[in-house]
Structures are given as structure tokens and as C-alpha cells.
Amino acid sequence: MVLFLQTNDINKQTILKLLPIIFFSLFFFDFLFAQNPAQKPFIFGNNNTNIPTKPNNFDEYLVQLALTNSPELEGTRYDIEARNAEIGIAKKEWMRNLSGGLNFNDVSFPYFLKYNLGWDTYFGKTIDTNRFSRIATYPLWNINLGLNLFDLRSRKNKIQFAENRKKISMTEETFKRQKIRAEVLKRYQEFLETYEILKIRLQALDAAEANKTQISSLFSVNKAKFEDYNTANKTYFEALESKSRSESDIKLKRIALEEMIGVKWESVEKIKESYDVLKK
């Protein structure tokens, strides 16, 4: 808001006395229309295993944990807050070019104070009645206001534009939530599958080791061919290598899952055990 004080011959001392009133008016206007304080930002914490509500199964717990600890969703939340701020700005944009002028006449205004209110002085200055002969063509005061009509007419469109940008951000948040949910469940199933594969490969290793031991014993007394001995050893080492790959896959799948849920697997392993007990 712009406030103009127009006078003909008010002295500097009077102007200085009016300045505090003007500044106070501007401060009060800004305070009255100030935006609401920003909400407390979302805090992303490491190893945060707490979620708002406890799901019925462990799979859903991992999903909720990933949604809570996701930096990507945290950025989306900040974006939505920014969109809310844009809506507030759009609603008040029309005030940017609002202007006003206030003119106190230095002749007729003292006349009004003297003969209507009975004042002999104002702002520490004695009212001079000899100057009242000039009041015929002067009003006591005049006020003017200015407003940009484009800002006023386009206000609705600006608000709609800001609201649509917020809707886009909220749609993106929903999409990211669905994507995170699917990715968490996928990685968790792959993580569990690596354990099942390891079990099978351990059984294959045990069988290959038993066969290798038996063929080696027979080969040592010339009761087995070299080809059988060589094949048994080859099968055993292939099973051993397969076991090593399975153990490496478990670590890689665990890291991939930890990337989504935002915490170490060891932090949620005990929680999984509590869900397993409930199943029984």
C-alpha cells in the first residue's frame, strides 16, 4: 500500500510528527494481511522405524516405512507447501498495486478544528485565524485510491492457476506413492526369494559333496573311472560357486531393500519376528 501526504505549507516539524503515524499505519496493514506462518517442515531421520499406524502385516509395514523415510516424497511435500504459499500469494496479488492518497488542507483543516472542535492549537502549532479568508475554495481533506483493474480481473485466473499447480503436485505425490509401494514389495519378494534359492543350492552342494566323497573313495581303490571322479569334482565346485553367488545376491537384494525403506535391515528384523509370531 502506498500512502501520499500532500500539503501546501506544512512545516518540517509537522511532517516529522506525522511520520510515526504513517509508518504505524503501514506496519499495521502488513501485519493484518501477513501470510500464515509456515507449517513445521517434515524431518527426515536416519534409522527411523516409527510409522503413524501399525499395519496388519509385515509387507505393508515395509511399504509404510518406505513412504515415511522417502526423500523423494519429502521433496514432494515441500513442493505442495510451496503451492499452498503460491495460492495465498495469488489471493493477495491485487494488493500489490493498491495505492492511496490523503491530503489535509493546511487552511481549512485548522478552521475545522477551531470552530467545530474548539482547538486553539494542533501538532503544537497555534491556529492562525487570519488565514481563514482563503478557505472558500479548499476542502478539509481529499482522499484518492488507485487499483490496477487487470490485477483485479485476473485474480480469479491466477488463483485457479496456482490451485491447478497444487493439484499437479498432489497427483505426482500419489504416483510416487504407488511407485514406491510396488518397488518395495518387489524388492522384498526378491530378497526373500534369494534365501529360498540359497536353501536349494545348499542342498545341491551337500549332495555334490557327498557324491564327490564317495567317488573319491572309489577312485582311490581303482573302483571308479577318472571321468566319474573328474565329473564329481566339477559338480561339487560348481555347486560351491553357486552357493557363493546366492550369498552375494542376498547382500545385494538387502542393500536394494534398505535403499527403499531408509533403514538397515537389522533395524526391522526384530519387527518381522513379532509379525511372524502373530501369524502362528
Side-chain angles (χ1 to χ4, degrees), residues 192-261:
L192 295 179
E193 186 180 1
T194 55
Y195 278 100
E196 297 300 322
I197 293 175
L198 178 61
K199 290 179 183 179
I200 295 172
R201 289 179 176 176
L202 286 174
Q203 292 175 359
L205 178 61
D206 291 341
E209 185 177 13
N211 184 56
K212 171 181 172 295
T213 301
Q214 183 180 8
I215 295 298
S216 296
S217 299
L218 294 175
F219 182 74
S220 64
V221 294
N222 296 321
K223 291 184 178 181
K225 297 179 181 180
F226 176 77
E227 291 80 1
D228 295 334
Y229 173 77
N230 189 43
T231 300
N233 277 277
K234 182 180 179 182
T235 302
Y236 169 74
F237 286 109
E238 286 178 349
L240 189 63
E241 180 184 358
S242 182
K243 168 184 171 290
S244 178
R245 284 200 304 269
S246 289
E247 291 173 343
S248 178
D249 287 343
I250 288 176
K251 293 179 182 178
L252 293 176
K253 296 299 182 182
R254 182 179 64 191
I255 292 172
L257 180 60
E258 290 173 348
E259 180 187 12
M260 292 301 301
I261 62 178

Coordinates of all heavy atoms in Angstrom, one line a residue, residues 192-261:
L192 N 13.4 -62.2 -0.2 CA 13.0 -63.5 0.3 C 13.4 -64.6 -0.6 O 13.8 -65.7 -0.2 CB 11.5 -63.5 0.6 CG 11.0 -62.5 1.7 CD1 9.5 -62.6 1.8 CD2 11.7 -62.7 3.0
E193 N 13.2 -64.4 -1.9 CA 13.5 -65.4 -2.9 C 15.0 -65.9 -2.9 O 15.3 -67.1 -3.1 CB 13.1 -64.9 -4.3 CG 13.2 -66.0 -5.4 CD 12.8 -65.5 -6.7 OE1 12.5 -64.3 -6.8 OE2 12.9 -66.2 -7.7
T194 N 15.9 -64.9 -2.6 CA 17.3 -65.3 -2.6 C 17.6 -66.3 -1.4 O 18.5 -67.1 -1.6 CB 18.1 -64.0 -2.4 OG1 17.7 -63.3 -1.2 CG2 18.1 -63.1 -3.6
Y195 N 16.8 -66.2 -0.3 CA 17.0 -67.2 0.8 C 16.5 -68.5 0.3 O 17.2 -69.6 0.7 CB 16.3 -66.7 2.0 CG 17.0 -65.7 2.8 CD1 16.7 -64.3 2.7 CD2 18.0 -66.1 3.7 CE1 17.4 -63.4 3.5 CE2 18.7 -65.1 4.5 CZ 18.4 -63.8 4.3 OH 19.1 -62.9 5.1
E196 N 15.4 -68.6 -0.4 CA 14.9 -69.9 -0.9 C 15.9 -70.5 -1.9 O 16.1 -71.7 -1.9 CB 13.5 -69.7 -1.5 CG 12.5 -69.2 -0.5 CD 12.3 -70.2 0.6 OE1 12.3 -71.4 0.4 OE2 12.0 -69.7 1.8
I197 N 16.4 -69.7 -2.7 CA 17.4 -70.2 -3.7 C 18.6 -70.7 -3.0 O 19.2 -71.7 -3.4 CB 17.7 -69.0 -4.7 CG1 16.5 -68.7 -5.6 CG2 18.9 -69.5 -5.6 CD1 16.7 -67.6 -6.5
L198 N 19.1 -69.9 -2.0 CA 20.2 -70.4 -1.2 C 20.0 -71.7 -0.6 O 20.9 -72.6 -0.6 CB 20.6 -69.3 -0.2 CG 21.8 -69.7 0.7 CD1 23.1 -69.9 -0.1 CD2 22.0 -68.6 1.8
K199 N 18.8 -72.0 0.0 CA 18.5 -73.3 0.6 C 18.6 -74.4 -0.4 O 19.2 -75.5 -0.2 CB 17.1 -73.2 1.1 CG 16.9 -72.4 2.4 CD 15.4 -72.4 2.8 CE 15.2 -71.5 4.0 NZ 13.8 -71.5 4.5
I200 N 18.1 -74.2 -1.6 CA 18.2 -75.2 -2.7 C 19.6 -75.4 -3.1 O 20.0 -76.6 -3.3 CB 17.3 -74.7 -3.9 CG1 15.9 -74.7 -3.6 CG2 17.5 -75.7 -5.1 CD1 15.0 -74.1 -4.6
R201 N 20.4 -74.4 -3.2 CA 21.8 -74.5 -3.6 C 22.6 -75.2 -2.5 O 23.6 -75.9 -2.8 CB 22.3 -73.2 -4.0 CG 21.8 -72.7 -5.4 CD 22.3 -71.3 -5.8 NE 21.7 -71.0 -7.1 CZ 21.9 -69.8 -7.7 NH1 22.7 -68.9 -7.1 NH2 21.4 -69.6 -8.9
L202 N 22.2 -75.0 -1.3 CA 22.9 -75.6 -0.2 C 22.7 -77.1 -0.2 O 23.6 -78.0 0.0 CB 22.5 -75.0 1.2 CG 23.1 -73.7 1.5 CD1 22.5 -73.1 2.8 CD2 24.6 -73.7 1.6
Q203 N 21.4 -77.5 -0.5 CA 21.1 -78.9 -0.7 C 21.9 -79.5 -1.8 O 22.4 -80.7 -1.7 CB 19.6 -79.1 -0.9 CG 18.7 -78.7 0.3 CD 17.3 -78.7 0.0 OE1 16.8 -79.0 -1.1 NE2 16.4 -78.4 1.0
A204 N 22.0 -78.8 -2.9 CA 22.7 -79.3 -4.1 C 24.2 -79.4 -3.7 O 24.9 -80.4 -4.2 CB 22.5 -78.3 -5.3
L205 N 24.7 -78.5 -3.0 CA 26.1 -78.6 -2.5 C 26.3 -79.8 -1.6 O 27.4 -80.5 -1.8 CB 26.5 -77.3 -1.8 CG 27.9 -77.2 -1.3 CD1 28.9 -77.3 -2.4 CD2 28.1 -75.9 -0.5
D206 N 25.4 -80.0 -0.7 CA 25.6 -81.2 0.2 C 25.6 -82.5 -0.7 O 26.4 -83.4 -0.4 CB 24.4 -81.2 1.2 CG 24.6 -80.1 2.2 OD1 25.7 -79.6 2.4 OD2 23.5 -79.8 2.8
A207 N 24.7 -82.5 -1.6 CA 24.6 -83.7 -2.5 C 25.9 -83.9 -3.3 O 26.4 -85.0 -3.5 CB 23.4 -83.7 -3.4
A208 N 26.3 -82.8 -3.9 CA 27.6 -82.8 -4.7 C 28.8 -83.2 -3.8 O 29.7 -84.0 -4.3 CB 27.8 -81.5 -5.3
E209 N 28.8 -82.7 -2.6 CA 29.9 -83.0 -1.7 C 29.9 -84.5 -1.3 O 30.9 -85.2 -1.3 CB 29.9 -82.2 -0.5 CG 31.0 -82.3 0.5 CD 31.0 -81.4 1.7 OE1 30.0 -80.8 1.9 OE2 32.0 -81.3 2.4
A210 N 28.7 -85.0 -1.0 CA 28.6 -86.5 -0.7 C 29.0 -87.3 -1.9 O 29.7 -88.4 -1.7 CB 27.1 -86.8 -0.3
N211 N 28.5 -86.9 -3.1 CA 28.9 -87.7 -4.3 C 30.4 -87.6 -4.5 O 31.0 -88.6 -4.9 CB 28.1 -87.2 -5.5 CG 28.3 -88.0 -6.7 OD1 28.1 -89.2 -6.7 ND2 28.8 -87.3 -7.8
K212 N 31.0 -86.5 -4.3 CA 32.4 -86.3 -4.6 C 33.2 -87.2 -3.6 O 34.2 -87.8 -4.0 CB 32.8 -84.8 -4.4 CG 34.3 -84.5 -4.4 CD 34.5 -83.1 -4.2 CE 36.0 -82.8 -3.9 NZ 36.5 -83.3 -2.7
T213 N 32.8 -87.2 -2.3 CA 33.5 -88.0 -1.3 C 33.4 -89.5 -1.7 O 34.4 -90.2 -1.6 CB 32.8 -87.8 0.1 OG1 32.9 -86.4 0.4 CG2 33.5 -88.6 1.1
Q214 N 32.2 -89.9 -2.1 CA 32.0 -91.3 -2.5 C 32.8 -91.7 -3.7 O 33.5 -92.8 -3.7 CB 30.5 -91.6 -2.7 CG 30.2 -93.1 -3.0 CD 28.8 -93.3 -3.3 OE1 28.0 -92.4 -3.4 NE2 28.4 -94.6 -3.4
I215 N 32.8 -90.9 -4.7 CA 33.6 -91.2 -5.9 C 35.1 -91.1 -5.7 O 35.9 -92.0 -6.2 CB 33.2 -90.2 -7.1 CG1 31.7 -90.4 -7.5 CG2 34.1 -90.4 -8.3 CD1 31.4 -91.7 -8.0
S216 N 35.5 -90.2 -4.8 CA 36.9 -90.1 -4.5 C 37.4 -91.4 -3.8 O 38.5 -91.9 -4.0 CB 37.2 -88.9 -3.6 OG 36.9 -87.7 -4.3
S217 N 36.5 -91.9 -2.9 CA 36.9 -93.1 -2.2 C 37.0 -94.3 -3.1 O 37.9 -95.1 -3.1 CB 35.8 -93.5 -1.1 OG 35.8 -92.4 -0.1
L218 N 36.1 -94.4 -4.1 CA 36.1 -95.5 -5.0 C 37.3 -95.3 -6.0 O 37.9 -96.3 -6.4 CB 34.8 -95.5 -5.8 CG 33.5 -95.9 -5.0 CD1 32.3 -95.8 -5.9 CD2 33.6 -97.3 -4.5
F219 N 37.5 -94.1 -6.4 CA 38.6 -93.8 -7.3 C 40.0 -94.2 -6.6 O 40.9 -94.6 -7.3 CB 38.6 -92.4 -7.7 CG 39.7 -92.0 -8.7 CD1 39.6 -92.4 -10.0 CD2 40.8 -91.3 -8.3 CE1 40.6 -92.1 -11.0 CE2 41.8 -91.0 -9.2 CZ 41.7 -91.4 -10.6
S220 N 40.1 -94.0 -5.3 CA 41.3 -94.3 -4.6 C 41.7 -95.8 -4.6 O 42.8 -96.1 -4.5 CB 41.3 -93.7 -3.2 OG 40.3 -94.4 -2.5
V221 N 40.7 -96.6 -4.8 CA 40.9 -98.1 -4.8 C 40.6 -98.6 -6.2 O 40.3 -99.8 -6.4 CB 40.0 -98.8 -3.8 CG1 40.4 -98.4 -2.4 CG2 38.5 -98.5 -4.0
N222 N 40.7 -97.7 -7.2 CA 40.5 -98.1 -8.6 C 39.2 -98.8 -8.9 O 39.1 -99.6 -9.8 CB 41.6 -99.1 -9.1 CG 43.0 -98.4 -9.0 OD1 43.1 -97.2 -9.4 ND2 44.0 -99.1 -8.6
K223 N 38.1 -98.3 -8.2 CA 36.8 -98.8 -8.5 C 35.9 -97.8 -9.2 O 34.7 -98.0 -9.3 CB 36.1 -99.3 -7.2 CG 36.8 -100.5 -6.6 CD 36.0 -101.0 -5.3 CE 36.6 -102.2 -4.7 NZ 35.9 -102.7 -3.6
A224 N 36.5 -96.7 -9.5 CA 35.7 -95.6 -10.3 C 36.6 -95.1 -11.4 O 37.8 -95.0 -11.2 CB 35.3 -94.5 -9.3
K225 N 36.0 -94.7 -12.5 CA 36.7 -94.2 -13.6 C 37.2 -92.7 -13.3 O 36.6 -92.0 -12.5 CB 35.9 -94.2 -14.8 CG 35.5 -95.6 -15.3 CD 34.6 -95.6 -16.5 CE 34.2 -97.0 -17.0 NZ 33.4 -96.9 -18.2
F226 N 38.2 -92.3 -14.0 CA 38.7 -91.0 -13.9 C 37.6 -90.0 -14.3 O 37.5 -88.9 -13.7 CB 40.0 -90.8 -14.7 CG 40.5 -89.4 -14.6 CD1 41.2 -88.9 -13.5 CD2 40.3 -88.5 -15.7 CE1 41.6 -87.6 -13.5 CE2 40.8 -87.2 -15.7 CZ 41.4 -86.7 -14.5
E227 N 36.9 -90.3 -15.4 CA 35.9 -89.4 -15.8 C 34.8 -89.1 -14.8 O 34.4 -88.0 -14.6 CB 35.2 -90.0 -17.1 CG 36.1 -90.0 -18.3 CD 37.0 -91.2 -18.4 OE1 37.0 -92.0 -17.4 OE2 37.9 -91.3 -19.3
D228 N 34.4 -90.2 -14.0 CA 33.5 -90.0 -13.0 C 34.0 -89.2 -11.8 O 33.3 -88.4 -11.2 CB 33.0 -91.4 -12.4 CG 32.3 -92.2 -13.5 OD1 31.7 -91.6 -14.4 OD2 32.3 -93.5 -13.4
Y229 N 35.3 -89.4 -11.5 CA 36.0 -88.7 -10.5 C 36.0 -87.2 -10.9 O 35.7 -86.3 -10.1 CB 37.4 -89.2 -10.2 CG 38.2 -88.4 -9.3 CD1 38.0 -88.5 -7.9 CD2 39.2 -87.6 -9.8 CE1 38.8 -87.7 -7.0 CE2 40.0 -86.8 -8.9 CZ 39.8 -86.9 -7.6 OH 40.5 -86.1 -6.7
N230 N 36.4 -86.9 -12.1 CA 36.5 -85.6 -12.6 C 35.1 -84.9 -12.6 O 35.0 -83.7 -12.2 CB 37.1 -85.6 -14.0 CG 37.5 -84.2 -14.5 OD1 38.0 -83.4 -13.7 ND2 37.1 -83.9 -15.7
T231 N 34.1 -85.6 -13.1 CA 32.8 -85.0 -13.1 C 32.3 -84.7 -11.7 O 31.6 -83.6 -11.5 CB 31.8 -86.0 -13.8 OG1 32.3 -86.2 -15.1 CG2 30.4 -85.4 -13.8
A232 N 32.5 -85.6 -10.7 CA 32.1 -85.3 -9.4 C 32.7 -84.1 -8.8 O 32.1 -83.3 -8.1 CB 32.4 -86.6 -8.5
N233 N 34.0 -83.9 -9.0 CA 34.7 -82.7 -8.5 C 34.2 -81.4 -9.2 O 34.0 -80.4 -8.6 CB 36.2 -82.9 -8.8 CG 36.9 -83.7 -7.7 OD1 37.3 -83.2 -6.7 ND2 37.1 -85.0 -8.0
K234 N 34.0 -81.6 -10.5 CA 33.4 -80.4 -11.3 C 32.1 -80.0 -10.7 O 31.8 -78.8 -10.5 CB 33.4 -80.7 -12.7 CG 32.9 -79.6 -13.6 CD 32.9 -79.9 -15.1 CE 32.4 -78.8 -15.9 NZ 32.3 -79.1 -17.4
T235 N 31.2 -81.0 -10.5 CA 29.9 -80.7 -10.0 C 29.9 -80.1 -8.6 O 29.2 -79.1 -8.3 CB 29.1 -82.0 -9.9 OG1 29.0 -82.6 -11.2 CG2 27.6 -81.7 -9.4
Y236 N 30.9 -80.5 -7.8 CA 31.0 -80.0 -6.4 C 31.4 -78.5 -6.5 O 30.8 -77.7 -5.8 CB 32.0 -80.8 -5.6 CG 32.4 -80.2 -4.3 CD1 31.5 -80.2 -3.2 CD2 33.6 -79.5 -4.2 CE1 31.9 -79.6 -2.0 CE2 34.0 -78.9 -3.0 CZ 33.1 -79.0 -1.9 OH 33.4 -78.3 -0.7
F237 N 32.4 -78.2 -7.2 CA 32.9 -76.8 -7.3 C 31.9 -75.9 -7.9 O 31.8 -74.7 -7.6 CB 34.2 -76.8 -8.0 CG 35.4 -77.3 -7.1 CD1 36.0 -78.5 -7.4 CD2 35.8 -76.6 -6.0 CE1 37.0 -79.0 -6.7 CE2 36.8 -77.1 -5.2 CZ 37.4 -78.3 -5.5
E238 N 31.1 -76.4 -8.9 CA 30.0 -75.6 -9.5 C 29.0 -75.3 -8.4 O 28.4 -74.2 -8.4 CB 29.4 -76.3 -10.7 CG 30.3 -76.3 -11.9 CD 29.7 -77.1 -13.0 OE1 28.7 -77.8 -12.8 OE2 30.2 -77.0 -14.2
A239 N 28.6 -76.3 -7.6 CA 27.7 -76.1 -6.5 C 28.2 -75.1 -5.5 O 27.5 -74.3 -4.9 CB 27.3 -77.4 -5.9
L240 N 29.5 -75.2 -5.2 CA 30.1 -74.2 -4.2 C 30.1 -72.8 -4.8 O 29.8 -71.9 -4.0 CB 31.6 -74.7 -4.0 CG 32.3 -74.0 -2.9 CD1 31.6 -74.2 -1.5 CD2 33.8 -74.5 -2.8
E241 N 30.4 -72.7 -6.1 CA 30.3 -71.3 -6.7 C 28.9 -70.8 -6.7 O 28.7 -69.6 -6.4 CB 30.8 -71.4 -8.1 CG 30.8 -70.1 -8.9 CD 31.3 -70.2 -10.3 OE1 31.6 -71.4 -10.7 OE2 31.3 -69.2 -11.0
S242 N 27.9 -71.7 -7.0 CA 26.5 -71.3 -7.0 C 26.1 -70.8 -5.6 O 25.4 -69.8 -5.4 CB 25.7 -72.4 -7.4 OG 24.3 -72.1 -7.5
K243 N 26.6 -71.5 -4.5 CA 26.3 -71.1 -3.2 C 26.9 -69.7 -2.9 O 26.2 -68.8 -2.3 CB 26.9 -72.1 -2.2 CG 26.9 -71.6 -0.7 CD 27.6 -72.6 0.2 CE 27.8 -72.1 1.6 NZ 28.8 -71.0 1.6
S244 N 28.1 -69.4 -3.3 CA 28.7 -68.1 -3.1 C 27.9 -67.0 -3.8 O 27.8 -65.9 -3.3 CB 30.2 -68.2 -3.6 OG 30.8 -66.9 -3.5
R245 N 27.4 -67.3 -5.0 CA 26.7 -66.3 -5.8 C 25.3 -66.0 -5.0 O 24.9 -64.9 -5.0 CB 26.4 -66.8 -7.2 CG 27.6 -66.7 -8.1 CD 27.1 -66.7 -9.6 NE 26.3 -67.9 -9.9 CZ 26.8 -69.0 -10.3 NH1 28.1 -69.1 -10.5 NH2 26.0 -70.1 -10.6
S246 N 24.7 -67.0 -4.5 CA 23.5 -66.8 -3.7 C 23.7 -65.9 -2.5 O 22.9 -65.1 -2.2 CB 22.9 -68.2 -3.3 OG 22.4 -68.9 -4.4
E247 N 24.8 -66.2 -1.8 CA 25.1 -65.3 -0.6 C 25.4 -63.9 -1.0 O 25.0 -62.9 -0.3 CB 26.3 -65.9 0.1 CG 26.1 -67.2 0.8 CD 27.3 -67.9 1.3 OE1 28.4 -67.5 0.9 OE2 27.2 -68.8 2.2
S248 N 26.0 -63.7 -2.2 CA 26.2 -62.3 -2.7 C 24.9 -61.7 -3.1 O 24.7 -60.5 -2.8 CB 27.2 -62.4 -3.9 OG 27.4 -61.1 -4.4
D249 N 24.0 -62.5 -3.7 CA 22.7 -62.0 -4.1 C 21.9 -61.5 -2.9 O 21.2 -60.5 -3.0 CB 21.9 -63.1 -4.9 CG 22.5 -63.3 -6.3 OD1 23.2 -62.4 -6.8 OD2 22.2 -64.3 -6.9
I250 N 22.0 -62.3 -1.8 CA 21.3 -61.9 -0.6 C 21.7 -60.5 -0.1 O 20.9 -59.6 0.2 CB 21.5 -62.9 0.5 CG1 20.7 -64.2 0.2 CG2 21.0 -62.4 1.9 CD1 20.9 -65.3 1.1
K251 N 23.0 -60.3 -0.1 CA 23.6 -59.0 0.3 C 23.1 -57.8 -0.6 O 22.7 -56.7 -0.2 CB 25.1 -59.0 0.3 CG 25.6 -60.0 1.4 CD 27.2 -60.0 1.4 CE 27.7 -60.9 2.4 NZ 29.2 -61.0 2.4
L252 N 23.2 -58.1 -1.9 CA 22.8 -57.1 -2.9 C 21.3 -56.8 -2.8 O 20.9 -55.6 -2.9 CB 23.1 -57.5 -4.3 CG 24.6 -57.6 -4.6 CD1 24.8 -58.2 -6.0 CD2 25.3 -56.3 -4.5
K253 N 20.4 -57.8 -2.7 CA 19.0 -57.6 -2.5 C 18.7 -56.9 -1.2 O 17.7 -56.1 -1.2 CB 18.2 -58.9 -2.6 CG 18.4 -59.6 -3.9 CD 17.8 -58.8 -5.1 CE 17.9 -59.6 -6.4 NZ 17.4 -58.8 -7.5
R254 N 19.4 -57.2 -0.2 CA 19.2 -56.5 1.1 C 19.5 -55.0 1.0 O 18.8 -54.2 1.5 CB 20.1 -57.1 2.2 CG 19.8 -56.5 3.6 CD 20.7 -57.2 4.6 NE 22.1 -57.0 4.3 CZ 23.1 -57.7 4.9 NH1 22.8 -58.6 5.8 NH2 24.4 -57.4 4.6
I255 N 20.6 -54.7 0.3 CA 21.0 -53.3 0.1 C 19.9 -52.6 -0.7 O 19.6 -51.4 -0.4 CB 22.4 -53.2 -0.6 CG1 23.5 -53.7 0.3 CG2 22.7 -51.8 -1.0 CD1 24.8 -53.8 -0.4
A256 N 19.4 -53.2 -1.7 CA 18.4 -52.6 -2.6 C 17.1 -52.4 -1.7 O 16.4 -51.3 -1.9 CB 18.0 -53.6 -3.7
L257 N 16.8 -53.3 -0.8 CA 15.6 -53.1 0.0 C 15.8 -52.0 1.0 O 14.9 -51.2 1.3 CB 15.2 -54.4 0.7 CG 14.0 -54.4 1.7 CD1 12.8 -54.0 0.9 CD2 13.8 -55.7 2.4
E258 N 17.0 -51.9 1.6 CA 17.4 -50.9 2.6 C 17.3 -49.5 1.9 O 16.9 -48.5 2.5 CB 18.7 -51.1 3.1 CG 18.8 -52.3 4.1 CD 20.2 -52.6 4.5 OE1 21.2 -52.1 3.9 OE2 20.4 -53.4 5.5
E259 N 17.7 -49.4 0.6 CA 17.6 -48.2 -0.1 C 16.2 -47.6 -0.1 O 15.9 -46.4 0.0 CB 18.1 -48.4 -1.5 CG 18.0 -47.1 -2.4 CD 18.4 -47.4 -3.8 OE1 18.4 -48.6 -4.2 OE2 18.6 -46.4 -4.6
M260 N 15.2 -48.5 -0.2 CA 13.8 -48.1 -0.3 C 13.2 -47.8 1.1 O 12.5 -46.8 1.2 CB 12.9 -49.2 -1.0 CG 13.3 -49.4 -2.4 SD 13.0 -48.0 -3.5 CE 11.3 -47.6 -3.2
I261 N 13.5 -48.6 2.1 CA 12.9 -48.4 3.4 C 13.6 -47.4 4.2 O 13.1 -46.9 5.2 CB 12.7 -49.7 4.2 CG1 14.1 -50.3 4.5 CG2 11.9 -50.7 3.4 CD1 14.1 -51.6 5.3

